[in-house]
Amino acid sequence: MEIKKKYDGIVYERTAYAPVPDADADGLRITFDSGVAYRDVLAGEREAGSTFHPLLGLGKTIIEVKTAGAYPSWLVEVLGGCQAYPSSFSKYGVAYQECERAAGVRFVRDAFPSLTSRKDDRCA
């Protein structure tokens, strides 16, 4: 299933795979996000409303694997063969860092306190 998503200035195309109902897959779900782009929240209102910037390099895709248990052995073999290993990545965090870099500010919360509503006052 392919879905175009847009959340808080982030857009991407998602292809999601999940097992058929009643399959013994331990909640396995794999998603592929491509065409990831962000709107610069620190740019002027006129520019920020319409301009999206690529977040990943051309042809790059984010693969997310979720499961309630261990990865199935076939998936471990496939991912290992592609040299794909677990890592941490946040589309929102990287987008905010890019906005900060372009604006020449260190913290988004300094420029837009309303963007940071978490109790510990850290950016995404």
Side-chain angles (χ1 to χ4, degrees):
M1 167 190 312
E2 289 201 30
I3 302 171
K4 286 191 177 194
K5 298 202 168 224
K6 182 177 180 181
Y7 296 108
D8 298 326
I10 302 284
V11 295
Y12 53 95
E13 294 183 24
R14 170 167 286 176
T15 303
Y17 297 94
V20 295
D22 300 325
D24 184 25
D26 209 9
L28 178 65
R29 188 181 120 206
I30 302 172
T31 59
F32 298 85
D33 293 345
S34 60
V36 182
Y38 68 96
R39 182 176 54 85
D40 190 340
V41 297
L42 298 181
E45 284 186 32
R46 181 174 40 90
E47 181 183 336
S50 60
T51 304
F52 280 86
H53 307 280
L55 190 62
L56 307 173
L58 185 61
K60 300 285 184 176
T61 300
I62 299 169
I63 302 170
E64 183 178 18
V65 179
K66 291 185 178 182
T67 181
Y71 288 9
S73 58
W74 65 265
L75 182 58
V76 172
E77 289 178 31
V78 168
L79 294 174
C82 296
Q83 296 183 347
Y85 303 102
S87 65
S88 178
F89 182 82
S90 167
K91 292 183 281 280
Y92 300 95
V94 173
Y96 283 133
Q97 289 172 352
E98 288 297 316
C99 293
E100 290 174 337
R101 184 189 56 73
V105 297
R106 182 172 167 94
F107 298 106
V108 170
R109 70 173 179 259
D110 293 341
F112 288 91
S114 64
L115 290 177
T116 322
S117 60
R118 293 183 3 189
K119 193 174 188 177
D120 61 3
D121 199 35
R122 291 182 298 179
C123 292

